[in-house]
Amino acid sequence: MRALSRRLVPRTLRCQLTAGLVTLLALACLAVGVTTVLALEGFLRGRLDQQLTSSGGRFAASLEHEAKPDADNVFDTRGQAESTFGARLLNGVVTQAAVVHDAADHRVPLTPADRHALASVPVDGHGHDIHLDRLRAYRVIAVHGDDQDVLITGLPLHPIEETLHRLEAVEAVVFGVALVATGIAGALWVRLSLRPLRRVTVQAANVAQLPLASGEIAMPEPLADADPATEVGTVGNALNHMLGHIEDALKRRHASEERLRHFAADASHELRTPLANIRGHAELALRHQGSVPPAVHHALERIDAESQRMTGLVDDLLLLARLDAGRPLERESVDLTLLVLNALDDARAAGPGHRWLLDLPEEPVTVTGDAHRLQQAIGNLLANARTHTPPGTEVTVALSTEGAGAVLTVTDDGPGIPPELQPEVFGRFVRADHARSRSTGSTGLGLAIVHAVVTGHQGTVDVTSRPGHTVFRITLPG
Ligand SMILES: Nc1ncnc2c1ncn2[C@@H]1O[C@H](COP(=O)(O)OP(=O)(O)OP(=O)(O)O)[C@@H](O)[C@H]1O
Ligand SMILES: [Mg+2]
């Protein structure tokens, strides 16, 4: 029911306005039509009554002489309009009834119902409608005759009805044409008037399609000639105003993002040299020939290990900062098959407790991109499959082609990624167990780098994971 009414009621503003216009005009036409028909009917009836009054029952009075057989024209039809009806009543009973026409016999045969109808006409000199079986609808007046009789004179109503029907037909045609013309012209007019609103809609739709989440956003030009005197102009101005605010906020956000990125890049860059020095000194001290207390030796080893970890972290941060800044990647032909084989060799060496499987197509798979970065991304996925799963886990690396591009999947049957972590797993510093990861050296940057590298290649990366089945899927264009 609701759906039906929704389908019947026009939903667009354009249709609503046009439908409203046509409905109002239809109501106006109806009012004009009914008024003119009623007014004309009143006027014509008034004129008929006048005619009847002025005839004054002359024709009916002449019916008295009907019995005279010698007269040629027994009724006095002179000056009487065609179809004038006359009847004479004596003591409430119709004695004669005739009608004026060309034929010789003017008498009208009356049914009992006709007689009854004639007998019940009030003798007040005013017009009344009656219906006679032979003559149909008549307007009659009744007056008292000279010799105690009642004289009824009538004129037919059908000419009035015909006139009114004709008027109704003409009005129906004229109003119908006017409604159709108004509907068409109104629709065009409304369309024309709402054209600026379409521009507002297009503008809003354009902005809605912009990737506002991050980066530098080029807002579309503000709407021109939005006249504040009109409703649509007000909407346009409000939109311009709002977009101006949004553009301002986005510029400020972009500037702050840029500052942060520069800071991360500069800080990681600046940290590299002192870190290299610390590592160098630690290695030098470890190579010291003389006797070193075991506690000092252990401390030096920790310094060496931690500075190595920190170097890796700083390198990751620097790489992310550079990828964020849109630093162009190398664009060379990369043999993905070779990268996968190398990465798997490293993984086998680092995780001998895992079962490493390979699924490669016959032909080598090549894409255009940065071999070093891609190697790093694949390495990160394999490192995750090794470090976040227990020994004995089966890890399968599969490579295939898709159109001109390539698809790489890394599947493991480990414990899986907690569901609450999955939506943000490609974010920075996102990891399942913060306390444990600090001791295992996990930072939560591995998948962020995979994501940045893959999107830098215009590819996609996603993950599906449940306990016993985790799949990372990378697609790269050719
Ligand atoms: N194959 C996997 N199985 C289970 N959990 C995973 C797997 N891969 C990633 N994770 C979860 O996702 C988190 C984020 O991974 P990511 O590679 O970004 O960081 P990380 O491995 O913790 O640290 P990093 O790679 O920087 O040393 C991990 O901490 C881990 O909880
Ligand atoms: Mg990792």
Side-chain angles (χ1 to χ4, degrees):
M1 190 67 195
R2 229 181 183 182
L4 183 75
S5 69
R6 206 181 294 162
R7 212 174 300 154
L8 289 181
V9 176
R11 280 157 78 191
T12 64
L13 186 58
R14 218 174 70 201
C15 291
Q16 278 180 5
L17 287 176
T18 313
L21 190 70
V22 172
T23 310
L24 283 180
L25 186 68
L27 288 177
C29 288
L30 195 69
V32 169
V34 170
T35 314
T36 47
V37 168
L38 288 179
L40 186 66
E41 189 182 9
F43 171 74
L44 292 175
R45 275 171 181 273
R47 220 174 51 177
L48 209 61
D49 288 355
Q50 256 176 15
Q51 259 175 285
L52 288 171
T53 315
S54 64
S55 78
R58 243 183 310 118
F59 177 55
S62 74
L63 299 179
E64 209 179 331
H65 313 297
E66 182 194 13
K68 293 176 185 171
D70 53 326
D72 274 354
N73 186 358
V74 287
F75 305 132
D76 180 9
T77 57
R78 281 169 299 153
Q80 301 296 339
E82 174 79 9
S83 301
T84 304
F85 169 80
R88 188 165 165 265
L89 279 85
L90 210 56
N91 299 327
V93 179
V94 181
T95 54
Q96 286 93 17
V99 70
V100 176
H101 57 68
D102 295 340
D105 190 3
H106 296 263
R107 273 167 305 182
V108 180
L110 294 175
T111 62
D114 294 346
R115 287 175 185 280
H116 180 71
L118 286 167
S120 19
V121 175
V123 191
D124 53 5
H126 294 301
H128 298 280
D129 291 352
I130 60 164
H131 191 278
L132 298 175
D133 190 45
R134 280 290 175 86
L135 303 175
R136 294 189 294 160
Y138 258 70
R139 185 87 176 157
V140 295
I141 63 168
V143 291
H144 286 289
D146 292 337
D147 35 3
Q148 305 299 310
D149 53 357
V150 171
L151 306 173
I152 294 179
T153 316
L155 281 168
L157 277 172
H158 67 87
I160 294 185
E161 279 164 11
E162 271 165 27
T163 311
L164 292 179
H165 284 156
R166 205 183 173 84
L167 176 69
E168 281 164 7
V170 170
E171 279 183 346
V173 171
V174 171
F175 291 163
V177 170
L179 282 178
V180 171
T182 308
I184 295 170
L188 288 175
W189 175 253
V190 170
R191 194 192 176 96
L192 213 68
S193 316
L194 292 184
R195 196 183 277 170
L197 198 62
R198 269 175 68 88
R199 287 206 292 269
V200 173
T201 317
V202 170
Q203 177 85 323
N206 284 345
V207 174
Q209 275 171 1
L210 289 175
L212 299 179
S214 64
E216 193 173 11
I217 314 294
M219 279 283 177
E221 285 290 305
L223 289 169
D225 52 77
D227 181 2
T230 65
E231 288 84 351
V232 179
T234 318
V235 175
N237 274 333
L239 185 75
N240 279 347
H241 209 65
M242 187 182 81
L243 292 185
H245 272 310
I246 293 178
E247 188 172 20
D248 208 40
L250 289 178
K251 269 188 187 149
R252 262 188 258 165
R253 187 195 65 186
H254 180 64
S256 125
E257 275 175 1
E258 282 291 289
R259 271 200 301 277
L260 201 66
R261 202 173 289 145
H262 279 132
F263 170 74
D266 292 349
S268 357
H269 191 75
E270 291 302 322
L271 283 172
R272 282 174 121 190
T273 321
L275 270 175
N277 288 341
I278 294 173
R279 273 179 66 190
H281 284 296
E283 275 170 23
L284 200 69
L286 277 173
R287 267 192 256 129
H288 180 71
Q289 297 299 320
S291 73
V292 177
V296 176
H297 188 82
H298 177 70
L300 285 173
E301 273 177 347
R302 291 300 310 136
I303 291 173
D304 188 35
E306 287 299 308
S307 58
Q308 267 186 46
R309 186 160 96 86
M310 203 163 163
T311 309
L313 178 62
V314 163
D315 284 347
D316 283 353
L317 281 173
L318 190 59
L319 173 63
L320 275 175
R322 284 179 177 163
L323 288 171
D324 281 352
R327 278 266 192 104
L329 292 156
E330 296 284 330
R331 291 195 60 78
E332 59 200 359
S333 179
V334 180
D335 185 349
L336 271 185
T337 315
L338 196 65
L339 293 192
V340 168
L341 286 172
N342 289 342
L344 208 68
D345 271 352
D346 296 346
R348 276 204 181 102
H354 286 66
R355 283 187 293 141
W356 301 95
L357 304 178
L358 194 58
D359 180 4
L360 290 178
E362 299 277 312
E363 297 291 314
V365 180
T366 54
V367 291
T368 309
D370 189 321
H372 187 61
R373 299 290 167 233
L374 288 173
Q375 177 91 64
Q376 199 169 351
I378 301 170
N380 282 0
L381 289 184
L382 294 188
N384 280 352
R386 175 170 51 80
T387 50
H388 302 298
T389 59
T393 303
E394 187 176 281
V395 185
T396 311
V397 187
L399 190 59
S400 60
T401 51
E402 197 182 65
V407 180
L408 175 99
T409 56
V410 177
T411 312
D412 70 66
D413 60 0
I417 304 171
E420 67 280 4
L421 197 71
Q422 286 180 28
E424 42 173 348
V425 80
F426 294 102
R428 280 148 210 210
F429 299 108
V430 174
R431 54 219 147 141
D433 186 349
H434 279 260
R436 201 178 62 86
S437 52
R438 212 158 285 141
S439 62
T440 55
S442 141
T443 57
L445 286 178
L447 288 178
I449 287 179
V450 173
H451 187 261
V453 168
V454 172
T455 47
H457 282 81
Q458 279 76 48
T460 59
V461 56
D462 56 58
V463 62
T464 49
S465 180
R466 57 187 150 81
H469 189 76
T470 300
V471 186
F472 283 92
R473 186 170 187 274
I474 290 179
T475 62
L476 290 168

